[in-house]
Amino acid sequence: MTRFEPAVLVLEDGTRYDGNAYGARGRALGEAVFATGMTGYQETITDPSYAGQIVMMTAPHIGNTGVNDEDPESDRVWVAGFVVRDPSRIVSNYRANGSLDDQLVEQGVVGISGVDTRAVTRRLRDAGAMRSGIFSGAEAALGAAEQLAIVRAGAQMQGLNLSARVSVTEPKTLLATSERIGSVAVLDLGVKDSTLRYLASRGLDVHVLPQSVTADELFALHPDAVFYSNGPGDPAASGTHVELLQAVLRKRLPFFGICFGNQLLGRALGLSTYKLPFGHRGINQPVLDKATGRVEITAHNHGFAVDAPLDGVFDSPAGFGRVEVSHVNLNDNVVEGLNALDIPAFSVQYHPEAAAGPHDANYLFDRFRDLILAVKAAETESK
């Protein structure tokens, strides 16, 4: 790794942070966000939910375990850019077959190192996530005013639909890896590979569908349940996915949504969503399960949230019966889960597959399996 080539991180408010070129050289534009996990950088950068974002790791030492072929959550790196403080100069892990720096170079991901990441975190925490740019190589020589103008000309995350960028373009199927109980249609809005494996391990044939799938195409598969994945973008810009979900709910198919899927369930139920100041990203977010009183440490990656009453039961404005908030973030009281009481549907705002951990919320896949079996049993009794 060539060290000490100049690079600069520029925020849209004009704040600048000098550092060293890292990964590919050139220009990266995206929304600047910070992720608080101390491990799991490979899972982070390959998470499709980070499309369109320049991700900064708050942990100071990144890259020491290299990269391998087992941990990626997709087949490519999705972050628009990558910011670290102290990149490891050596790789020391028996599973590693390459370095993080080399992978960023190979996939054309522009990064910056040597940045005071604590200062950047404080800036984003106080001022909120904002458009940003990384400039290295020849781009680092551009004037400060020109660099800032480039950043300010970038796309705002609010109102942005990124589903088509991250979704599969053709359906694919993963067969159940335990005793089969049925099938699930997964709307791929940026799904992670570990999520699909966990669904298959619960006895489900997993039909992964493009985000452009129609209701008729989905129902033609005769799925026993439907799952909406995580993904990037503003849920308010995903009206067709909301309409599709409302069709699913009217058919009373069991539904489970995570992250972006939670926001879309909220909108399908008639609730609104809003942009968080700086979002929740990392693998150490405390969430209260209101039903059990248990506090779970969970993995998050979201910049939007559902606006709903935290206490008590309320009626779905869209006419889907009673709803309750099932989970709440203990840092800022953000809604972290929804539970429909009159239809078989629930969702959480975090990632229960939790690659690279923790696995406190993995039981939610069992809850989904139990819901599917309960609905199937009720249908059998009614015949």
mmCIF file of all heavy atoms in Angstrom, residues 18-19 41 47 51 133 147 152 225 229 244-245 248 257 282 298 300 303 318 337 346 350 358 374 381:
data_model
loop_
_atom_site.group_PDB
_atom_site.id
_atom_site.type_symbol
_atom_site.label_atom_id
_atom_site.label_comp_id
_atom_site.label_asym_id
_atom_site.label_seq_id
_atom_site.Cartn_x
_atom_site.Cartn_y
_atom_site.Cartn_z
ATOM 1 N N ASP A 18 -8.329 16.614 5.949
ATOM 2 C CA ASP A 18 -7.206 16.116 5.146
ATOM 3 C C ASP A 18 -6.782 14.741 5.630
ATOM 4 O O ASP A 18 -6.843 14.424 6.822
ATOM 5 C CB ASP A 18 -6.028 17.088 5.237
ATOM 6 C CG ASP A 18 -6.318 18.413 4.569
ATOM 7 O OD1 ASP A 18 -6.957 18.396 3.499
ATOM 8 O OD2 ASP A 18 -5.922 19.464 5.123
ATOM 9 N N GLY A 19 -6.341 13.914 4.683
ATOM 10 C CA GLY A 19 -5.872 12.582 5.026
ATOM 11 C C GLY A 19 -5.032 12.017 3.907
ATOM 12 O O GLY A 19 -4.462 12.764 3.089
ATOM 13 N N TYR A 41 -16.056 -5.092 9.246
ATOM 14 C CA TYR A 41 -15.975 -4.117 8.155
ATOM 15 C C TYR A 41 -16.251 -4.747 6.798
ATOM 16 O O TYR A 41 -16.802 -4.110 5.906
ATOM 17 C CB TYR A 41 -14.613 -3.403 8.141
ATOM 18 C CG TYR A 41 -13.411 -4.311 8.042
ATOM 19 C CD1 TYR A 41 -13.000 -4.819 6.818
ATOM 20 C CD2 TYR A 41 -12.678 -4.652 9.177
ATOM 21 C CE1 TYR A 41 -11.905 -5.655 6.729
ATOM 22 C CE2 TYR A 41 -11.577 -5.486 9.093
ATOM 23 C CZ TYR A 41 -11.186 -5.984 7.871
ATOM 24 O OH TYR A 41 -10.099 -6.818 7.784
ATOM 25 N N ASP A 47 -22.691 -4.760 2.285
ATOM 26 C CA ASP A 47 -24.124 -4.652 2.574
ATOM 27 C C ASP A 47 -24.751 -3.696 1.560
ATOM 28 O O ASP A 47 -24.397 -2.517 1.518
ATOM 29 C CB ASP A 47 -24.310 -4.131 4.001
ATOM 30 C CG ASP A 47 -25.781 -3.959 4.371
ATOM 31 O OD1 ASP A 47 -26.658 -4.110 3.504
ATOM 32 O OD2 ASP A 47 -26.032 -3.659 5.557
ATOM 33 N N ALA A 51 -25.462 1.394 -0.289
ATOM 34 C CA ALA A 51 -25.337 2.006 -1.611
ATOM 35 C C ALA A 51 -25.640 3.497 -1.520
ATOM 36 O O ALA A 51 -26.582 3.924 -0.859
ATOM 37 C CB ALA A 51 -26.299 1.342 -2.595
ATOM 38 N N GLY A 133 -17.845 14.191 -0.211
ATOM 39 C CA GLY A 133 -17.014 13.682 -1.285
ATOM 40 C C GLY A 133 -15.617 13.370 -0.793
ATOM 41 O O GLY A 133 -15.119 14.031 0.127
ATOM 42 N N GLN A 147 -14.218 21.589 -5.324
ATOM 43 C CA GLN A 147 -14.584 20.344 -4.646
ATOM 44 C C GLN A 147 -15.910 20.490 -3.908
ATOM 45 O O GLN A 147 -16.774 19.611 -3.969
ATOM 46 C CB GLN A 147 -13.469 19.931 -3.680
ATOM 47 C CG GLN A 147 -12.196 19.481 -4.379
ATOM 48 C CD GLN A 147 -11.042 19.277 -3.401
ATOM 49 O OE1 GLN A 147 -11.063 19.818 -2.284
ATOM 50 N NE2 GLN A 147 -10.034 18.519 -3.816
ATOM 51 N N ARG A 152 -21.901 19.591 -3.363
ATOM 52 C CA ARG A 152 -23.238 20.165 -3.226
ATOM 53 C C ARG A 152 -24.123 19.878 -4.436
ATOM 54 O O ARG A 152 -25.347 20.002 -4.351
ATOM 55 C CB ARG A 152 -23.134 21.671 -2.996
ATOM 56 C CG ARG A 152 -22.588 22.010 -1.608
ATOM 57 C CD ARG A 152 -22.440 23.507 -1.406
ATOM 58 N NE ARG A 152 -22.066 23.812 -0.019
ATOM 59 C CZ ARG A 152 -21.722 25.025 0.426
ATOM 60 N NH1 ARG A 152 -21.694 26.050 -0.434
ATOM 61 N NH2 ARG A 152 -21.414 25.211 1.691
ATOM 62 N N ALA A 225 -45.572 -17.259 2.393
ATOM 63 C CA ALA A 225 -45.266 -16.048 3.151
ATOM 64 C C ALA A 225 -44.495 -15.094 2.261
ATOM 65 O O ALA A 225 -44.019 -15.469 1.180
ATOM 66 C CB ALA A 225 -44.449 -16.386 4.402
ATOM 67 N N SER A 229 -36.895 -7.155 2.400
ATOM 68 C CA SER A 229 -35.525 -7.078 2.916
ATOM 69 C C SER A 229 -35.126 -5.664 3.320
ATOM 70 O O SER A 229 -35.873 -4.698 3.146
ATOM 71 C CB SER A 229 -34.544 -7.591 1.857
ATOM 72 O OG SER A 229 -34.322 -6.595 0.867
ATOM 73 N N LEU A 244 -47.653 -2.973 -3.389
ATOM 74 C CA LEU A 244 -47.502 -4.429 -3.454
ATOM 75 C C LEU A 244 -47.711 -5.046 -2.078
ATOM 76 O O LEU A 244 -48.403 -6.065 -1.934
ATOM 77 C CB LEU A 244 -46.118 -4.784 -3.998
ATOM 78 C CG LEU A 244 -45.746 -6.274 -4.010
ATOM 79 C CD1 LEU A 244 -46.691 -7.055 -4.914
ATOM 80 C CD2 LEU A 244 -44.300 -6.455 -4.452
ATOM 81 N N LEU A 245 -47.136 -4.432 -1.055
ATOM 82 C CA LEU A 245 -47.266 -4.967 0.296
ATOM 83 C C LEU A 245 -48.712 -4.889 0.773
ATOM 84 O O LEU A 245 -49.196 -5.817 1.445
ATOM 85 C CB LEU A 245 -46.346 -4.204 1.250
ATOM 86 C CG LEU A 245 -46.369 -4.637 2.717
ATOM 87 C CD1 LEU A 245 -46.219 -6.138 2.859
ATOM 88 C CD2 LEU A 245 -45.270 -3.917 3.497
ATOM 89 N N VAL A 248 -50.419 -7.832 -0.457
ATOM 90 C CA VAL A 248 -50.027 -9.007 0.330
ATOM 91 C C VAL A 248 -50.810 -9.049 1.638
ATOM 92 O O VAL A 248 -51.318 -10.101 2.054
ATOM 93 C CB VAL A 248 -48.509 -8.978 0.601
ATOM 94 C CG1 VAL A 248 -48.121 -10.016 1.648
ATOM 95 C CG2 VAL A 248 -47.732 -9.212 -0.693
ATOM 96 N N GLY A 257 -40.788 -8.144 7.716
ATOM 97 C CA GLY A 257 -39.943 -7.148 7.075
ATOM 98 C C GLY A 257 -38.826 -6.720 8.002
ATOM 99 O O GLY A 257 -39.017 -6.651 9.223
ATOM 100 N N GLY A 282 -24.221 0.228 12.722
ATOM 101 C CA GLY A 282 -23.260 -0.472 13.560
ATOM 102 C C GLY A 282 -23.881 -1.713 14.157
ATOM 103 O O GLY A 282 -25.046 -2.041 13.890
ATOM 104 N N THR A 298 -28.209 -5.063 18.898
ATOM 105 C CA THR A 298 -28.624 -5.380 17.531
ATOM 106 C C THR A 298 -27.783 -4.652 16.486
ATOM 107 O O THR A 298 -27.115 -3.662 16.786
ATOM 108 C CB THR A 298 -30.106 -5.006 17.337
ATOM 109 O OG1 THR A 298 -30.278 -3.622 17.649
ATOM 110 C CG2 THR A 298 -31.000 -5.836 18.238
ATOM 111 N N HIS A 300 -27.631 -2.474 13.035
ATOM 112 C CA HIS A 300 -28.477 -1.505 12.342
ATOM 113 C C HIS A 300 -27.762 -0.910 11.140
ATOM 114 O O HIS A 300 -26.534 -0.822 11.104
ATOM 115 C CB HIS A 300 -28.836 -0.331 13.266
ATOM 116 C CG HIS A 300 -29.788 -0.675 14.352
ATOM 117 N ND1 HIS A 300 -30.847 0.121 14.700
ATOM 118 C CD2 HIS A 300 -29.837 -1.730 15.193
ATOM 119 C CE1 HIS A 300 -31.515 -0.418 15.708
ATOM 120 N NE2 HIS A 300 -30.903 -1.544 16.016
ATOM 121 N N GLY A 303 -31.261 5.188 7.930
ATOM 122 C CA GLY A 303 -31.298 6.627 8.110
ATOM 123 C C GLY A 303 -32.700 7.177 8.173
ATOM 124 O O GLY A 303 -32.894 8.389 8.319
ATOM 125 N N ALA A 318 -54.596 2.847 7.407
ATOM 126 C CA ALA A 318 -54.938 2.288 6.100
ATOM 127 C C ALA A 318 -55.968 1.170 6.193
ATOM 128 O O ALA A 318 -56.285 0.538 5.179
ATOM 129 C CB ALA A 318 -53.684 1.783 5.399
ATOM 130 N N GLY A 337 -39.707 -1.606 15.720
ATOM 131 C CA GLY A 337 -40.464 -2.781 15.315
ATOM 132 C C GLY A 337 -41.954 -2.509 15.342
ATOM 133 O O GLY A 337 -42.436 -1.693 16.132
ATOM 134 N N PHE A 346 -45.424 -8.663 10.878
ATOM 135 C CA PHE A 346 -44.579 -7.959 11.841
ATOM 136 C C PHE A 346 -43.284 -7.560 11.155
ATOM 137 O O PHE A 346 -42.944 -8.046 10.068
ATOM 138 C CB PHE A 346 -44.315 -8.808 13.089
ATOM 139 C CG PHE A 346 -43.375 -9.973 12.879
ATOM 140 C CD1 PHE A 346 -42.040 -9.898 13.253
ATOM 141 C CD2 PHE A 346 -43.829 -11.162 12.318
ATOM 142 C CE1 PHE A 346 -41.175 -10.967 13.073
ATOM 143 C CE2 PHE A 346 -42.974 -12.244 12.131
ATOM 144 C CZ PHE A 346 -41.639 -12.140 12.514
ATOM 145 N N TYR A 350 -34.126 -3.350 12.505
ATOM 146 C CA TYR A 350 -32.712 -3.736 12.504
ATOM 147 C C TYR A 350 -32.503 -5.014 11.698
ATOM 148 O O TYR A 350 -33.414 -5.490 11.025
ATOM 149 C CB TYR A 350 -32.195 -3.885 13.943
ATOM 150 C CG TYR A 350 -33.109 -4.644 14.870
ATOM 151 C CD1 TYR A 350 -32.959 -5.999 15.069
ATOM 152 C CD2 TYR A 350 -34.133 -3.990 15.554
ATOM 153 C CE1 TYR A 350 -33.791 -6.696 15.923
ATOM 154 C CE2 TYR A 350 -34.973 -4.678 16.416
ATOM 155 C CZ TYR A 350 -34.798 -6.030 16.595
ATOM 156 O OH TYR A 350 -35.631 -6.720 17.433
ATOM 157 N N PRO A 358 -24.089 -8.794 16.621
ATOM 158 C CA PRO A 358 -24.413 -9.948 17.483
ATOM 159 C C PRO A 358 -25.649 -10.694 16.986
ATOM 160 O O PRO A 358 -26.292 -10.254 16.035
ATOM 161 C CB PRO A 358 -24.692 -9.273 18.831
ATOM 162 C CG PRO A 358 -25.283 -7.956 18.446
ATOM 163 C CD PRO A 358 -24.555 -7.521 17.191
ATOM 164 N N ALA A 374 -48.508 -21.439 12.015
ATOM 165 C CA ALA A 374 -49.791 -21.153 12.663
ATOM 166 C C ALA A 374 -50.860 -20.796 11.632
ATOM 167 O O ALA A 374 -52.020 -21.240 11.728
ATOM 168 C CB ALA A 374 -49.624 -20.022 13.675
ATOM 169 N N GLU A 381 -57.651 -26.143 9.516
ATOM 170 C CA GLU A 381 -58.785 -26.334 10.415
ATOM 171 C C GLU A 381 -60.076 -25.766 9.823
ATOM 172 O O GLU A 381 -61.166 -26.288 10.056
ATOM 173 C CB GLU A 381 -58.514 -25.686 11.771
ATOM 174 C CG GLU A 381 -57.466 -26.412 12.603
ATOM 175 C CD GLU A 381 -57.240 -25.737 13.941
ATOM 176 O OE1 GLU A 381 -57.999 -24.800 14.258
ATOM 177 O OE2 GLU A 381 -56.334 -26.158 14.665
#
